[in-house]
Amino acid sequence: MPRNLKDYLLISLKGMGMGAADVVPGVSGGTIAFITGIYEELINSIKSINGSAIKLILQLKIKDFWKAINGNFLSALTFGIFVSFLSLAKLIKYFLAEQPILIWSFFFGLIVASAIVIAKKITEWKLRTIIALFLGIAIAYFVTVVTPAETPSSYWFLFLSGALAICAMILPGISGAFILLLLGKYEFILNAISSFKLDVIAIVGAGAVIGLLSFSNLLSWLLKKYHNMTIALLAGFMIGSLNKVWPWKETVSTFIDRHGIEKPLLQANILPNTFEQILGQDSELIFAIVLAIAGFLLIWIMEKFSPESKSN
């Protein structure tokens, strides 16, 4: 059925939701696409940007090319994503600096709810599915423990970071921002976006485009051939990643970055009361619990009223 302007505005709003999800290291844009009923169309549209589509451009058949790649859908969605990126980057940067406990608590709730939403998509629990779940948990936990805080800022690494982050963005379960966090490039790229550093944005963007085009076919194949195992692995990855976003941490060691600023190198998760005893700061436990519940309910409500849930 042909879409009208209202339909494309709604797609842009869903894109804004995806962008908002991937700005924060909490829930993935792929999860938002999944629970708002556009995931399959998104993957198929990205897959359609292939050799045949490029051939249409070379033949100057622009209208046919646009139709082949579902251009109206992709452009409306992309617009919404970039609006979120540009508008939320400074806001998230502010909260990470000024209210880290509260915002990490909100992210914690987002991830817990997202893991549950993703796990509900598993249609049959077999031994291999359970193994995939625990493998995902183990891999994610291990990565959060061993990832260094400082990584190169050269163009090749920024290109790689963009490619890996965008792949995570279309996965229903892994946050692109969380991948950047693990790679030590989350704040760096967030600062680049908020200050419009065009060279960094261009390199990361180029990596994102290449990664997106090359990964969409693999993802589609995995979900078709090994759907339950793939979903279980992604759910496990999210559960294991909770170690990274636990709000209360004790800094074990620090390092001086290239700008001469002292930053945490190794941090250990601690309980709220231990946080107050060691650091002499308010753990903000009540507000943290409220925000964690709010994050959980946000995903639960979105899933509850998604087109897929209504159809079921």
Side-chain angles (χ1 to χ4, degrees), residues 261-282:
I261 300 174
E262 185 179 22
K263 292 185 176 181
L265 177 61
L266 294 175
Q267 291 184 306
N269 292 336
I270 54 178
L271 294 173
N273 62 331
T274 307
F275 178 88
E276 292 184 348
Q277 293 171 5
I278 294 178
L279 300 180
Q281 299 177 17
D282 185 4

Side-chain angles (χ1 to χ4, degrees), residues 235-253:
F237 196 99
M238 296 190 73
I239 295 169
S241 72
L242 289 171
N243 176 64
K244 187 71 174 182
V245 297
W246 179 254
W248 299 278
K249 295 182 182 293
E250 176 190 7
T251 299
V252 178
S253 61

Side-chain angles (χ1 to χ4, degrees), residues 27-295:
V27 61
S28 79
T31 300
I32 301 299
F34 210 105
I35 64 181
T36 55
I38 61 172
Y39 187 73
E40 187 174 344
E41 184 175 4
L42 172 61
I43 296 300
N44 290 333
S45 298
I46 296 171
K47 274 180 60 181
S48 66
I49 306 175
N50 51 27
S52 298
I54 300 301
K55 187 177 179 181
L56 290 174
I57 287 186
L58 297 177
Q59 294 173 347
L60 300 181
K61 296 180 179 179
I62 306 300
K63 188 175 181 179
D64 292 337
F65 165 78
W66 194 251
K67 184 177 180 181
I69 67 168
N70 200 7
N72 288 341
F73 168 80
L74 285 178
S75 58
L77 193 68
T78 303
F79 174 77
I81 290 171
F82 276 102
V83 167
S84 265
F85 279 169
L86 295 176
S87 60
L88 289 178
K90 289 185 178 181
L91 183 64
I92 297 300
K93 178 183 174 184
Y94 168 81
F95 279 116
L96 284 173
E98 300 297 327
Q99 296 290 344
I101 291 177
L102 298 185
I103 198 165
W104 286 121
S105 298
F106 183 71
F107 295 165
F108 195 91
L110 287 177
I111 296 178
V112 171
S114 298
I116 294 172
V117 168
I118 295 303
K120 284 171 63 179
K121 309 301 179 184
I122 297 172
T123 57
E124 188 177 15
W125 286 93
K126 293 183 177 180
L127 179 59
R128 61 185 182 182
T129 310
I130 297 172
I131 291 174
L133 175 70
F134 282 99
L135 181 63
I137 294 173
I139 291 173
Y141 182 85
F142 178 75
V143 171
T144 64
V145 172
V146 302
T147 300
E150 186 81 341
T151 51
S153 295
S154 50
Y155 284 158
W156 72 267
F157 195 82
L158 292 175
F159 182 91
L160 177 64
S161 299
L164 293 175
I166 201 68
C167 290
M169 179 179 176
I170 63 172
L171 286 172
I174 304 175
S175 165
F178 180 69
I179 295 299
L180 292 178
L181 198 67
L182 296 183
L183 293 172
K185 283 290 160 282
Y186 177 66
E187 288 189 36
F188 182 85
I189 294 176
L190 198 64
N191 289 334
I193 294 173
S194 62
S195 58
F196 293 100
K197 291 185 179 178
L198 296 181
D199 59 330
V200 173
I201 294 173
I203 293 296
V204 173
V209 170
I210 299 300
L212 190 61
L213 295 178
S214 59
F215 187 68
S216 58
N217 286 283
L218 174 62
L219 176 60
S220 178
W221 180 81
L222 285 172
L223 287 172
K224 285 179 180 178
K225 293 284 289 184
Y226 306 101
H227 177 269
N228 287 336
M229 289 181 65
T230 304
I231 296 297
L233 186 71
L234 298 176
F237 196 99
M238 296 190 73
I239 295 169
S241 72
L242 289 171
N243 176 64
K244 187 71 174 182
V245 297
W246 179 254
W248 299 278
K249 295 182 182 293
E250 176 190 7
T251 299
V252 178
S253 61
T254 61
F255 73 100
I256 305 298
D257 69 7
R258 62 178 59 87
H259 303 295
I261 300 174
E262 185 179 22
K263 292 185 176 181
L265 177 61
L266 294 175
Q267 291 184 306
N269 292 336
I270 54 178
L271 294 173
N273 62 331
T274 307
F275 178 88
E276 292 184 348
Q277 293 171 5
I278 294 178
L279 300 180
Q281 299 177 17
D282 185 4
S283 66
E284 302 178 273
L285 180 60
I286 300 299
F287 290 114
I289 292 174
V290 169
L291 282 170
I293 294 173

